[in-house]
Amino acid sequence: MFHPKTSLHPIEIYLGKQDDIEDKLIALCLQKRPVVVVDAALKHLYGEPLARKLNASLLCVPRGEEAKTKANYDNLIDRLFQLRCDRETPLIGLGGGATTDLTAFAASTYM
């Protein structure tokens, strides 16, 4: 686990076995219903099972660098508002670098 120094909200990055990561995410998401942001290629294989385990909302974004557009960012922010997310809502990026970049940027600019 990696804990970057932040002043307001914790950022946790996990690497390891899927079951270990899921257990850590379940423990982190006990207070608020999380949102899992997943790339389209991983939605059925990993996104849906994880969202069920966490009782999370699931949002899908395009795969790869095409995810990093203003339209996709705007859509993600709009969906977060529709879900009534707030600053304390855990956002979980599941996928490659583009998906996690988009998720992190949305998390850092939302509200």
Side-chain angles (χ1 to χ4, degrees):
M1 178 174 31
F2 173 65
H3 286 279
K5 292 182 179 179
T6 60
S7 59
L8 297 176
H9 302 286
I11 297 171
E12 300 197 15
I13 300 168
Y14 293 102
L15 303 172
K17 296 180 191 171
Q18 182 178 344
D19 291 339
D20 294 340
I21 293 169
E22 287 175 356
D23 290 343
K24 288 176 180 19
L25 289 173
I26 289 168
L28 286 170
C29 297
L30 293 176
Q31 300 294 321
K32 296 285 277 183
R33 185 172 189 213
V35 175
V36 174
V37 181
V38 63
D39 85 35
L42 300 178
K43 179 182 177 185
H44 298 296
L45 185 60
Y46 295 109
E48 290 172 349
L50 180 61
R52 275 193 301 275
K53 285 183 181 181
L54 299 176
N55 188 34
S57 299
L58 181 66
L59 303 179
C60 189
V61 297
R63 183 177 191 194
E65 289 298 310
E66 66 188 67
K68 295 187 332 188
T69 66
K70 184 175 183 310
N72 286 323
Y73 167 78
D74 289 343
N75 184 50
L76 181 54
I77 294 296
D78 288 345
R79 291 291 292 133
L80 294 175
F81 274 109
Q82 290 170 0
L83 293 168
R84 295 195 163 113
C85 296
D86 61 27
R87 293 174 56 109
E88 303 300 319
T89 301
L91 295 183
I92 300 165
L94 181 61
T99 301
T100 54
D101 286 351
L102 179 62
T103 304
F105 184 64
S108 69
T109 58
Y110 184 74
M111 296 200 156

